[in-house]
Amino acid sequence: DFLYSLAKHLAADQLQIQQICESLTLSPFNKITHTASGDTVWAPLVRSSQSHIILPLFGLEHSPFRFLLRDLKEKYASDWFSAANRRESRWQSELKDVFSSGRWRVVARGVNLKHDGRVLTDIDFLAFDEQKNAALLFQLKWQDPVGLDDKAKFSAARNFEREGNRWVEATSRWLEIY
């Protein structure tokens, strides 16, 4: 009844609504995905039996996107990682659009900074302001969403900080040399 009513309300195909709702529903088929880590992500929908779904307000209100992202990452891992790998080129293209006026020269691809034939680090995007004779160097970093698990949050923060500082130090060393 729920799927039929939702499909009717949205003027959508019931099978499509069912497929979409599967990634928003805690069920016997995905319970390991959503309970194994100890990081609580409340489900927007909970299958309580073959013909019943519970609509918990907290899951609908608080974290439907984190639940959905975790489910999609598990179900469609190759697509998830393929999309993640395309982020950098998409962001480079978007930055190129931002710096499209004639005053800017851009390199919208990765550039390796080398010293003595060794790669120190890379620059993901470079914009040079010809009027100010100044360069903007971009290192594009992203993180997957981290839930409420403090250990995972602190680990992600440490990794992000460590890698960001490593990039700044390597870039600064290269600039001092050249």
Side-chain angles (χ1 to χ4, degrees), residues 67-166:
F67 187 92
L68 176 64
L69 288 175
R70 181 180 288 168
D71 201 77
L72 293 175
K73 186 176 181 179
E74 177 71 21
K75 282 183 183 171
Y76 307 104
S78 64
D79 291 333
W80 178 274
F81 290 109
S82 176
N85 290 333
R86 288 192 308 267
R87 284 185 280 210
E88 188 169 296
S89 62
R90 186 182 76 241
W91 290 346
Q92 288 166 328
S93 177
E94 290 172 5
L95 282 167
K96 187 175 180 181
D97 290 343
V98 169
F99 295 99
S100 63
S101 74
R103 124 183 208 183
W104 297 97
R105 293 170 113 188
V106 300
V107 177
R109 58 176 170 71
V111 175
N112 288 331
L113 300 183
K114 295 180 180 181
H115 179 64
D116 291 335
R118 195 178 110 240
V119 174
L120 300 176
T121 191
D122 69 322
I123 304 293
D124 293 326
F125 184 89
L126 175 83
F128 181 74
D129 182 346
E130 292 184 331
Q131 290 178 3
K132 303 280 184 182
N133 197 32
L136 300 171
L137 309 176
F138 291 79
Q139 177 66 9
L140 303 173
K141 295 286 186 200
W142 60 80
Q143 292 180 301
D144 284 332
V146 177
L148 301 174
D149 178 16
D150 285 338
K151 186 177 179 181
K153 281 194 293 190
F154 290 129
S155 175
R158 270 193 313 274
N159 290 341
F160 189 74
E161 179 182 29
R162 183 181 62 243
E163 290 304 308
N165 287 337
R166 187 188 67 73

Side-chain angles (χ1 to χ4, degrees), residues 9-34:
H9 176 73
L10 297 173
D13 179 71
Q14 187 173 342
L15 180 59
Q16 289 176 330
I17 294 299
Q18 179 181 345
Q19 290 170 333
I20 291 168
C21 286
E22 283 176 7
S23 287
L24 293 167
T25 304
L26 180 62
S27 72
F29 304 109
N30 65 4
K31 73 177 183 177
I32 298 297
T33 297
H34 295 288

